[in-house]
mmCIF file of all heavy atoms in Angstrom:
data_model
loop_
_atom_site.group_PDB
_atom_site.id
_atom_site.type_symbol
_atom_site.label_atom_id
_atom_site.label_comp_id
_atom_site.label_asym_id
_atom_site.label_seq_id
_atom_site.Cartn_x
_atom_site.Cartn_y
_atom_site.Cartn_z
ATOM 1 N N VAL A 803 1.562 -62.798 -14.712
ATOM 2 C CA VAL A 803 0.685 -63.975 -15.078
ATOM 3 C C VAL A 803 -0.636 -63.575 -15.664
ATOM 4 O O VAL A 803 -1.449 -64.390 -15.977
ATOM 5 C CB VAL A 803 0.398 -64.972 -13.810
ATOM 6 C CG1 VAL A 803 1.699 -65.440 -13.237
ATOM 7 C CG2 VAL A 803 -0.415 -64.256 -12.809
ATOM 8 N N ASN A 838 -15.573 -44.132 -0.733
ATOM 9 C CA ASN A 838 -16.626 -43.443 0.003
ATOM 10 C C ASN A 838 -16.284 -41.964 0.182
ATOM 11 O O ASN A 838 -16.231 -41.434 1.308
ATOM 12 C CB ASN A 838 -16.872 -44.115 1.326
ATOM 13 C CG ASN A 838 -18.138 -43.621 2.031
ATOM 14 O OD1 ASN A 838 -19.034 -43.089 1.388
ATOM 15 N ND2 ASN A 838 -18.138 -43.707 3.396
ATOM 16 N N GLY A 858 -20.022 -35.798 -30.245
ATOM 17 C CA GLY A 858 -21.057 -34.885 -30.666
ATOM 18 C C GLY A 858 -20.518 -33.896 -31.770
ATOM 19 O O GLY A 858 -21.090 -32.921 -31.953
ATOM 20 N N ALA A 868 -9.265 -23.738 -34.497
ATOM 21 C CA ALA A 868 -7.880 -23.642 -34.397
ATOM 22 C C ALA A 868 -7.239 -23.172 -35.684
ATOM 23 O O ALA A 868 -6.157 -22.441 -35.766
ATOM 24 C CB ALA A 868 -7.239 -24.925 -33.935
ATOM 25 N N LEU A 879 -0.985 -27.132 -40.420
ATOM 26 C CA LEU A 879 -1.912 -28.219 -40.084
ATOM 27 C C LEU A 879 -1.385 -28.959 -38.743
ATOM 28 O O LEU A 879 -2.104 -29.407 -37.976
ATOM 29 C CB LEU A 879 -2.153 -29.189 -41.159
ATOM 30 C CG LEU A 879 -3.096 -28.774 -42.207
ATOM 31 C CD1 LEU A 879 -3.342 -29.931 -43.244
ATOM 32 C CD2 LEU A 879 -4.487 -28.409 -41.624
ATOM 33 N N PHE A 921 4.133 -39.065 -39.083
ATOM 34 C CA PHE A 921 4.425 -37.721 -38.428
ATOM 35 C C PHE A 921 3.121 -37.074 -37.923
ATOM 36 O O PHE A 921 3.068 -36.602 -36.804
ATOM 37 C CB PHE A 921 5.059 -36.776 -39.469
ATOM 38 C CG PHE A 921 5.225 -35.290 -38.903
ATOM 39 C CD1 PHE A 921 6.220 -35.071 -38.051
ATOM 40 C CD2 PHE A 921 4.322 -34.352 -39.291
ATOM 41 C CE1 PHE A 921 6.402 -33.752 -37.536
ATOM 42 C CE2 PHE A 921 4.450 -33.029 -38.779
ATOM 43 C CZ PHE A 921 5.489 -32.769 -37.931
ATOM 44 N N ALA A 933 -3.642 -32.972 -22.177
ATOM 45 C CA ALA A 933 -4.887 -33.232 -21.384
ATOM 46 C C ALA A 933 -4.607 -33.788 -20.070
ATOM 47 O O ALA A 933 -5.471 -33.793 -19.162
ATOM 48 C CB ALA A 933 -5.749 -34.200 -22.248
ATOM 49 N N GLY A 950 -4.555 -38.216 -0.208
ATOM 50 C CA GLY A 950 -5.365 -38.212 1.003
ATOM 51 C C GLY A 950 -5.971 -36.901 1.203
ATOM 52 O O GLY A 950 -6.339 -36.618 2.412
ATOM 53 N N LEU A 978 7.218 -26.100 -36.209
ATOM 54 C CA LEU A 978 7.600 -25.040 -37.123
ATOM 55 C C LEU A 978 8.948 -25.270 -37.649
ATOM 56 O O LEU A 978 9.241 -25.068 -38.882
ATOM 57 C CB LEU A 978 7.608 -23.677 -36.376
ATOM 58 C CG LEU A 978 6.189 -23.084 -36.089
ATOM 59 C CD1 LEU A 978 6.330 -21.885 -35.126
ATOM 60 C CD2 LEU A 978 5.570 -22.752 -37.397
ATOM 61 N N ILE A 1103 18.039 -35.931 -6.412
ATOM 62 C CA ILE A 1103 16.977 -36.902 -6.028
ATOM 63 C C ILE A 1103 15.767 -36.716 -6.911
ATOM 64 O O ILE A 1103 15.133 -37.712 -7.325
ATOM 65 C CB ILE A 1103 16.568 -36.725 -4.573
ATOM 66 C CG1 ILE A 1103 17.716 -37.053 -3.624
ATOM 67 C CG2 ILE A 1103 15.394 -37.549 -4.155
ATOM 68 C CD1 ILE A 1103 17.451 -36.907 -2.137
ATOM 69 N N PRO A 1202 9.776 -24.464 -10.162
ATOM 70 C CA PRO A 1202 8.500 -24.597 -9.463
ATOM 71 C C PRO A 1202 7.499 -23.501 -9.742
ATOM 72 O O PRO A 1202 6.309 -23.783 -9.755
ATOM 73 C CB PRO A 1202 8.892 -24.563 -7.969
ATOM 74 C CG PRO A 1202 10.375 -24.913 -7.936
ATOM 75 C CD PRO A 1202 10.889 -24.375 -9.252
ATOM 76 N N LEU A 1208 0.500 -19.491 -10.656
ATOM 77 C CA LEU A 1208 -0.927 -19.230 -10.931
ATOM 78 C C LEU A 1208 -1.864 -19.603 -9.810
ATOM 79 O O LEU A 1208 -2.686 -18.826 -9.411
ATOM 80 C CB LEU A 1208 -1.328 -19.917 -12.217
ATOM 81 C CG LEU A 1208 -2.624 -19.453 -12.847
ATOM 82 C CD1 LEU A 1208 -2.639 -17.926 -13.045
ATOM 83 C CD2 LEU A 1208 -2.968 -20.168 -14.173
ATOM 84 N N VAL A 1214 -5.879 -20.468 -4.676
ATOM 85 C CA VAL A 1214 -6.554 -21.763 -4.546
ATOM 86 C C VAL A 1214 -5.598 -22.719 -3.815
ATOM 87 O O VAL A 1214 -5.865 -23.890 -3.765
ATOM 88 C CB VAL A 1214 -6.895 -22.350 -5.945
ATOM 89 C CG1 VAL A 1214 -8.028 -21.534 -6.489
ATOM 90 C CG2 VAL A 1214 -5.685 -22.411 -6.846
#
Side-chain angles (χ1 to χ4, degrees):
V803 299
N838 188 24
L879 280 184
F921 175 76
L978 285 172
I1103 296 177
L1208 194 56
V1214 292

